[in-house]
Amino acid sequence: MSLVRSLIFAALQTVLTIFFSLVAFLSFPFSAHARYQLITGYNHTVIWLARWVLGIRYVVEGREHLPTQPAIILAKHQSAWETVAFLFLFPPVAPVIKQELLNVPFFGWAFRLLSPIAIDRSAGREALKQIVSQGRDKLAQGFWVLVFPEGTRVAPGEKGRYGIGGAWLAAETGAPIVPVAHNAGEVWPKNAFIKHPGTITVRIGPVIDSTGKSAAELTRAVEAWIETEMTRLPPAAARQ
């Protein structure tokens, strides 16, 4: 049944991607925030389909920790689920993404109008400068900034190397950091076509104040909190 459900979901998602790329194109004359609300209708719909077609539900814990001012979200990265869901589970965000994603047909074309921070990850220190310069502008515009510090998706139970890009932005701007742990990879595995029913837990941590702290200190604090919480999350498959 998981294969059949995954086939149906993939077909519907493809149609949605094409449709919302057209919506994105037509939203070009609107403000950045208005475009965001229109285009992320795609995200709402995909996660709704994931629930009713794939049996993937989610719960969010710790919403009370979210600050009132724009912040920097540093989150675990396990699957494609969070790249879709986090754009509506949090206030409007400018995600930091690989520059080449903007060239993906339909999906990338629509993403260009979502105000992402697109960086060349091979550029080293120049990539950090891009995050800071563009991130500062996004925060000033009222967008939060979403960063996956591991840079790429990691399988459940694994840990990638935490980069300092998001923490560097926080140290330079004084914006607070919101750490986020989740177990989406258990039901929506990375690079896997077949997805499985279950309930994803998204756990939002207490704000980490960036005032007077270095990027290295902030990165260590974020990594410690996220990786500790990852060991405490309930198995997604057991919460259907």
Side-chain angles (χ1 to χ4, degrees), residues 135-170:
R136 192 189 301 274
D137 290 342
K138 300 303 180 186
L139 291 167
Q141 294 168 21
F143 283 93
W144 293 37
V145 176
L146 171 62
V147 182
F148 297 112
E150 290 166 291
T152 188
R153 291 170 287 181
V154 296
E158 296 181 3
K159 180 175 79 72
R161 178 182 175 276
Y162 277 60
I164 66 170
W168 191 291
L169 174 61

mmCIF file of all heavy atoms in Angstrom, residues 135-170:
data_model
loop_
_atom_site.group_PDB
_atom_site.id
_atom_site.type_symbol
_atom_site.label_atom_id
_atom_site.label_comp_id
_atom_site.label_asym_id
_atom_site.label_seq_id
_atom_site.Cartn_x
_atom_site.Cartn_y
_atom_site.Cartn_z
ATOM 1 N N GLY A 135 20.582 37.974 4.437
ATOM 2 C CA GLY A 135 19.808 37.683 5.644
ATOM 3 C C GLY A 135 19.459 38.941 6.411
ATOM 4 O O GLY A 135 18.352 39.074 6.943
ATOM 5 N N ARG A 136 20.393 39.888 6.473
ATOM 6 C CA ARG A 136 20.128 41.147 7.156
ATOM 7 C C ARG A 136 18.951 41.879 6.491
ATOM 8 O O ARG A 136 18.073 42.417 7.159
ATOM 9 C CB ARG A 136 21.382 42.029 7.125
ATOM 10 C CG ARG A 136 21.322 43.227 8.053
ATOM 11 C CD ARG A 136 22.505 44.156 7.789
ATOM 12 N NE ARG A 136 23.778 43.491 7.981
ATOM 13 C CZ ARG A 136 24.390 43.384 9.155
ATOM 14 N NH1 ARG A 136 23.822 43.901 10.226
ATOM 15 N NH2 ARG A 136 25.563 42.786 9.246
ATOM 16 N N ASP A 137 18.944 41.862 5.155
ATOM 17 C CA ASP A 137 17.856 42.512 4.419
ATOM 18 C C ASP A 137 16.520 41.818 4.677
ATOM 19 O O ASP A 137 15.495 42.485 4.868
ATOM 20 C CB ASP A 137 18.149 42.506 2.919
ATOM 21 C CG ASP A 137 19.288 43.437 2.542
ATOM 22 O OD1 ASP A 137 19.618 44.330 3.353
ATOM 23 O OD2 ASP A 137 19.850 43.267 1.438
ATOM 24 N N LYS A 138 16.526 40.478 4.669
ATOM 25 C CA LYS A 138 15.277 39.735 4.890
ATOM 26 C C LYS A 138 14.716 39.994 6.281
ATOM 27 O O LYS A 138 13.500 40.177 6.446
ATOM 28 C CB LYS A 138 15.509 38.241 4.693
ATOM 29 C CG LYS A 138 16.003 37.851 3.310
ATOM 30 C CD LYS A 138 15.074 38.311 2.217
ATOM 31 C CE LYS A 138 15.602 37.892 0.847
ATOM 32 N NZ LYS A 138 14.801 38.442 -0.264
ATOM 33 N N LEU A 139 15.575 40.011 7.293
ATOM 34 C CA LEU A 139 15.124 40.284 8.653
ATOM 35 C C LEU A 139 14.520 41.684 8.751
ATOM 36 O O LEU A 139 13.497 41.888 9.418
ATOM 37 C CB LEU A 139 16.293 40.148 9.635
ATOM 38 C CG LEU A 139 16.826 38.717 9.853
ATOM 39 C CD1 LEU A 139 18.164 38.764 10.580
ATOM 40 C CD2 LEU A 139 15.825 37.880 10.636
ATOM 41 N N ALA A 140 15.137 42.651 8.068
ATOM 42 C CA ALA A 140 14.632 44.024 8.076
ATOM 43 C C ALA A 140 13.270 44.120 7.398
ATOM 44 O O ALA A 140 12.445 44.978 7.743
ATOM 45 C CB ALA A 140 15.632 44.953 7.398
ATOM 46 N N GLN A 141 13.014 43.216 6.442
ATOM 47 C CA GLN A 141 11.730 43.201 5.737
ATOM 48 C C GLN A 141 10.648 42.438 6.501
ATOM 49 O O GLN A 141 9.515 42.342 6.044
ATOM 50 C CB GLN A 141 11.907 42.562 4.360
ATOM 51 C CG GLN A 141 12.774 43.348 3.402
ATOM 52 C CD GLN A 141 13.140 42.543 2.172
ATOM 53 O OE1 GLN A 141 12.482 41.573 1.811
ATOM 54 N NE2 GLN A 141 14.226 42.930 1.511
ATOM 55 N N GLY A 142 10.996 41.884 7.662
ATOM 56 C CA GLY A 142 10.024 41.149 8.461
ATOM 57 C C GLY A 142 10.002 39.656 8.217
ATOM 58 O O GLY A 142 9.166 38.949 8.782
ATOM 59 N N PHE A 143 10.918 39.173 7.382
ATOM 60 C CA PHE A 143 11.023 37.728 7.171
ATOM 61 C C PHE A 143 11.933 37.107 8.232
ATOM 62 O O PHE A 143 12.908 37.717 8.655
ATOM 63 C CB PHE A 143 11.610 37.426 5.786
ATOM 64 C CG PHE A 143 10.641 37.595 4.657
ATOM 65 C CD1 PHE A 143 10.554 38.801 3.975
ATOM 66 C CD2 PHE A 143 9.810 36.560 4.267
ATOM 67 C CE1 PHE A 143 9.664 38.972 2.922
ATOM 68 C CE2 PHE A 143 8.915 36.713 3.227
ATOM 69 C CZ PHE A 143 8.835 37.917 2.544
ATOM 70 N N TRP A 144 11.598 35.892 8.634
ATOM 71 C CA TRP A 144 12.518 35.094 9.422
ATOM 72 C C TRP A 144 13.472 34.422 8.429
ATOM 73 O O TRP A 144 13.200 34.398 7.238
ATOM 74 C CB TRP A 144 11.765 34.041 10.219
ATOM 75 C CG TRP A 144 10.871 34.602 11.295
ATOM 76 C CD1 TRP A 144 10.121 35.746 11.236
ATOM 77 C CD2 TRP A 144 10.629 34.033 12.587
ATOM 78 N NE1 TRP A 144 9.428 35.926 12.401
ATOM 79 C CE2 TRP A 144 9.722 34.883 13.250
ATOM 80 C CE3 TRP A 144 11.086 32.895 13.235
ATOM 81 C CZ2 TRP A 144 9.264 34.624 14.544
ATOM 82 C CZ3 TRP A 144 10.631 32.625 14.512
ATOM 83 C CH2 TRP A 144 9.743 33.486 15.163
ATOM 84 N N VAL A 145 14.576 33.902 8.937
ATOM 85 C CA VAL A 145 15.529 33.211 8.078
ATOM 86 C C VAL A 145 15.609 31.750 8.529
ATOM 87 O O VAL A 145 15.788 31.465 9.717
ATOM 88 C CB VAL A 145 16.926 33.862 8.138
ATOM 89 C CG1 VAL A 145 17.928 33.055 7.305
ATOM 90 C CG2 VAL A 145 16.851 35.302 7.606
ATOM 91 N N LEU A 146 15.439 30.837 7.575
ATOM 92 C CA LEU A 146 15.472 29.400 7.864
ATOM 93 C C LEU A 146 16.769 28.803 7.335
ATOM 94 O O LEU A 146 17.069 28.912 6.143
ATOM 95 C CB LEU A 146 14.277 28.701 7.217
ATOM 96 C CG LEU A 146 14.268 27.170 7.234
ATOM 97 C CD1 LEU A 146 14.250 26.635 8.666
ATOM 98 C CD2 LEU A 146 13.074 26.636 6.439
ATOM 99 N N VAL A 147 17.533 28.173 8.229
ATOM 100 C CA VAL A 147 18.811 27.562 7.857
ATOM 101 C C VAL A 147 18.843 26.125 8.368
ATOM 102 O O VAL A 147 18.457 25.861 9.517
ATOM 103 C CB VAL A 147 20.004 28.336 8.456
ATOM 104 C CG1 VAL A 147 21.327 27.703 8.008
ATOM 105 C CG2 VAL A 147 19.958 29.809 8.057
ATOM 106 N N PHE A 148 19.292 25.219 7.511
ATOM 107 C CA PHE A 148 19.561 23.851 7.935
ATOM 108 C C PHE A 148 21.080 23.752 8.096
ATOM 109 O O PHE A 148 21.804 23.587 7.097
ATOM 110 C CB PHE A 148 19.060 22.850 6.894
ATOM 111 C CG PHE A 148 17.559 22.890 6.707
ATOM 112 C CD1 PHE A 148 17.010 23.358 5.519
ATOM 113 C CD2 PHE A 148 16.713 22.461 7.713
ATOM 114 C CE1 PHE A 148 15.631 23.400 5.340
ATOM 115 C CE2 PHE A 148 15.329 22.498 7.545
ATOM 116 C CZ PHE A 148 14.792 22.965 6.361
ATOM 117 N N PRO A 149 21.582 23.868 9.327
ATOM 118 C CA PRO A 149 23.040 23.997 9.517
ATOM 119 C C PRO A 149 23.850 22.783 9.070
ATOM 120 O O PRO A 149 25.052 22.920 8.819
ATOM 121 C CB PRO A 149 23.178 24.232 11.031
ATOM 122 C CG PRO A 149 21.906 23.745 11.626
ATOM 123 C CD PRO A 149 20.847 23.990 10.597
ATOM 124 N N GLU A 150 23.216 21.607 8.964
ATOM 125 C CA GLU A 150 23.961 20.447 8.478
ATOM 126 C C GLU A 150 24.191 20.510 6.964
ATOM 127 O O GLU A 150 24.974 19.730 6.421
ATOM 128 C CB GLU A 150 23.230 19.166 8.856
ATOM 129 C CG GLU A 150 23.265 18.888 10.353
ATOM 130 C CD GLU A 150 22.282 17.822 10.765
ATOM 131 O OE1 GLU A 150 21.058 18.091 10.693
ATOM 132 O OE2 GLU A 150 22.716 16.731 11.159
ATOM 133 N N GLY A 151 23.471 21.417 6.306
ATOM 134 C CA GLY A 151 23.707 21.647 4.879
ATOM 135 C C GLY A 151 23.033 20.663 3.953
ATOM 136 O O GLY A 151 22.614 21.025 2.864
ATOM 137 N N THR A 152 22.914 19.430 4.357
ATOM 138 C CA THR A 152 22.289 18.408 3.533
ATOM 139 C C THR A 152 21.490 17.473 4.434
ATOM 140 O O THR A 152 21.676 17.452 5.656
ATOM 141 C CB THR A 152 23.343 17.621 2.732
ATOM 142 O OG1 THR A 152 22.700 16.756 1.806
ATOM 143 C CG2 THR A 152 24.213 16.774 3.668
ATOM 144 N N ARG A 153 20.614 16.683 3.830
ATOM 145 C CA ARG A 153 19.781 15.790 4.619
ATOM 146 C C ARG A 153 20.585 14.627 5.185
ATOM 147 O O ARG A 153 21.449 14.076 4.500
ATOM 148 C CB ARG A 153 18.626 15.258 3.756
ATOM 149 C CG ARG A 153 17.607 16.326 3.399
ATOM 150 C CD ARG A 153 16.626 15.840 2.357
ATOM 151 N NE ARG A 153 17.258 15.761 1.038
ATOM 152 C CZ ARG A 153 16.613 15.382 -0.064
ATOM 153 N NH1 ARG A 153 15.346 15.027 -0.012
ATOM 154 N NH2 ARG A 153 17.249 15.334 -1.211
ATOM 155 N N VAL A 154 20.287 14.279 6.421
ATOM 156 C CA VAL A 154 20.949 13.142 7.066
ATOM 157 C C VAL A 154 19.887 12.139 7.496
ATOM 158 O O VAL A 154 18.760 12.503 7.821
ATOM 159 C CB VAL A 154 21.782 13.588 8.293
ATOM 160 C CG1 VAL A 154 22.915 14.508 7.878
ATOM 161 C CG2 VAL A 154 20.899 14.272 9.331
ATOM 162 N N ALA A 155 20.239 10.873 7.485
ATOM 163 C CA ALA A 155 19.295 9.818 7.856
ATOM 164 C C ALA A 155 19.033 9.840 9.354
ATOM 165 O O ALA A 155 19.868 10.312 10.138
ATOM 166 C CB ALA A 155 19.854 8.463 7.439
ATOM 167 N N PRO A 156 17.874 9.331 9.782
ATOM 168 C CA PRO A 156 17.583 9.251 11.215
ATOM 169 C C PRO A 156 18.700 8.524 11.962
ATOM 170 O O PRO A 156 19.217 7.508 11.494
ATOM 171 C CB PRO A 156 16.276 8.454 11.262
ATOM 172 C CG PRO A 156 15.606 8.778 9.965
ATOM 173 C CD PRO A 156 16.728 8.860 8.965
ATOM 174 N N GLY A 157 19.078 9.069 13.095
ATOM 175 C CA GLY A 157 20.150 8.477 13.882
ATOM 176 C C GLY A 157 21.527 8.972 13.511
ATOM 177 O O GLY A 157 22.506 8.664 14.204
ATOM 178 N N GLU A 158 21.622 9.742 12.430
ATOM 179 C CA GLU A 158 22.906 10.268 12.003
ATOM 180 C C GLU A 158 23.002 11.768 12.273
ATOM 181 O O GLU A 158 21.992 12.441 12.476
ATOM 182 C CB GLU A 158 23.137 9.994 10.515
ATOM 183 C CG GLU A 158 23.220 8.510 10.165
ATOM 184 C CD GLU A 158 23.484 8.281 8.691
ATOM 185 O OE1 GLU A 158 23.657 9.281 7.949
ATOM 186 O OE2 GLU A 158 23.502 7.114 8.275
ATOM 187 N N LYS A 159 24.206 12.290 12.260
ATOM 188 C CA LYS A 159 24.430 13.711 12.482
ATOM 189 C C LYS A 159 25.441 14.219 11.481
ATOM 190 O O LYS A 159 26.506 13.622 11.299
ATOM 191 C CB LYS A 159 24.944 13.950 13.909
ATOM 192 C CG LYS A 159 25.212 15.421 14.228
ATOM 193 C CD LYS A 159 25.585 15.593 15.685
ATOM 194 C CE LYS A 159 27.019 15.213 15.943
ATOM 195 N NZ LYS A 159 27.954 16.235 15.366
ATOM 196 N N GLY A 160 25.103 15.312 10.817
ATOM 197 C CA GLY A 160 26.032 15.934 9.896
ATOM 198 C C GLY A 160 26.875 16.983 10.600
ATOM 199 O O GLY A 160 26.658 17.296 11.779
ATOM 200 N N ARG A 161 27.829 17.516 9.887
ATOM 201 C CA ARG A 161 28.658 18.595 10.437
ATOM 202 C C ARG A 161 27.855 19.893 10.417
ATOM 203 O O ARG A 161 27.316 20.289 9.385
ATOM 204 C CB ARG A 161 29.930 18.742 9.612
ATOM 205 C CG ARG A 161 30.841 19.871 10.078
ATOM 206 C CD ARG A 161 32.067 19.993 9.184
ATOM 207 N NE ARG A 161 32.877 21.135 9.556
ATOM 208 C CZ ARG A 161 32.659 22.379 9.132
ATOM 209 N NH1 ARG A 161 31.642 22.615 8.304
ATOM 210 N NH2 ARG A 161 33.437 23.376 9.516
ATOM 211 N N TYR A 162 27.782 20.555 11.548
ATOM 212 C CA TYR A 162 27.014 21.791 11.656
ATOM 213 C C TYR A 162 27.842 22.967 11.146
ATOM 214 O O TYR A 162 28.912 23.274 11.689
ATOM 215 C CB TYR A 162 26.598 22.047 13.109
ATOM 216 C CG TYR A 162 25.351 21.295 13.532
ATOM 217 C CD1 TYR A 162 25.310 19.903 13.504
ATOM 218 C CD2 TYR A 162 24.202 21.971 13.938
ATOM 219 C CE1 TYR A 162 24.173 19.204 13.886
ATOM 220 C CE2 TYR A 162 23.057 21.285 14.316
ATOM 221 C CZ TYR A 162 23.054 19.895 14.287
ATOM 222 O OH TYR A 162 21.917 19.216 14.657
ATOM 223 N N GLY A 163 27.337 23.631 10.114
ATOM 224 C CA GLY A 163 27.994 24.816 9.596
ATOM 225 C C GLY A 163 27.633 26.032 10.432
ATOM 226 O O GLY A 163 26.662 26.029 11.187
ATOM 227 N N ILE A 164 28.396 27.110 10.270
ATOM 228 C CA ILE A 164 28.197 28.292 11.120
ATOM 229 C C ILE A 164 27.417 29.404 10.426
ATOM 230 O O ILE A 164 27.259 30.483 11.000
ATOM 231 C CB ILE A 164 29.545 28.838 11.621
ATOM 232 C CG1 ILE A 164 30.376 29.374 10.437
ATOM 233 C CG2 ILE A 164 30.320 27.784 12.391
ATOM 234 C CD1 ILE A 164 31.607 30.147 10.881
ATOM 235 N N GLY A 165 26.916 29.157 9.190
ATOM 236 C CA GLY A 165 26.280 30.236 8.443
ATOM 237 C C GLY A 165 25.154 30.929 9.190
ATOM 238 O O GLY A 165 25.116 32.161 9.310
ATOM 239 N N GLY A 166 24.189 30.160 9.700
ATOM 240 C CA GLY A 166 23.059 30.749 10.411
ATOM 241 C C GLY A 166 23.488 31.430 11.693
ATOM 242 O O GLY A 166 22.993 32.517 12.041
ATOM 243 N N ALA A 167 24.412 30.809 12.418
ATOM 244 C CA ALA A 167 24.905 31.400 13.656
ATOM 245 C C ALA A 167 25.704 32.673 13.374
ATOM 246 O O ALA A 167 25.671 33.631 14.148
ATOM 247 C CB ALA A 167 25.778 30.382 14.395
ATOM 248 N N TRP A 168 26.420 32.678 12.255
ATOM 249 C CA TRP A 168 27.181 33.865 11.858
ATOM 250 C C TRP A 168 26.225 35.036 11.613
ATOM 251 O O TRP A 168 26.491 36.159 12.037
ATOM 252 C CB TRP A 168 27.976 33.555 10.594
ATOM 253 C CG TRP A 168 29.005 34.596 10.215
ATOM 254 C CD1 TRP A 168 28.770 35.857 9.771
ATOM 255 C CD2 TRP A 168 30.428 34.438 10.264
ATOM 256 N NE1 TRP A 168 29.948 36.498 9.506
ATOM 257 C CE2 TRP A 168 30.988 35.653 9.806
ATOM 258 C CE3 TRP A 168 31.275 33.390 10.619
ATOM 259 C CZ2 TRP A 168 32.356 35.846 9.714
ATOM 260 C CZ3 TRP A 168 32.644 33.592 10.526
ATOM 261 C CH2 TRP A 168 33.172 34.802 10.085
ATOM 262 N N LEU A 169 25.125 34.748 10.935
ATOM 263 C CA LEU A 169 24.117 35.791 10.695
ATOM 264 C C LEU A 169 23.572 36.317 12.014
ATOM 265 O O LEU A 169 23.393 37.531 12.193
ATOM 266 C CB LEU A 169 22.991 35.224 9.834
ATOM 267 C CG LEU A 169 21.777 36.136 9.610
ATOM 268 C CD1 LEU A 169 22.180 37.429 8.901
ATOM 269 C CD2 LEU A 169 20.709 35.399 8.800
ATOM 270 N N ALA A 170 23.291 35.408 12.957
ATOM 271 C CA ALA A 170 22.772 35.824 14.259
ATOM 272 C C ALA A 170 23.779 36.685 15.007
ATOM 273 O O ALA A 170 23.426 37.719 15.598
ATOM 274 C CB ALA A 170 22.417 34.589 15.087
#
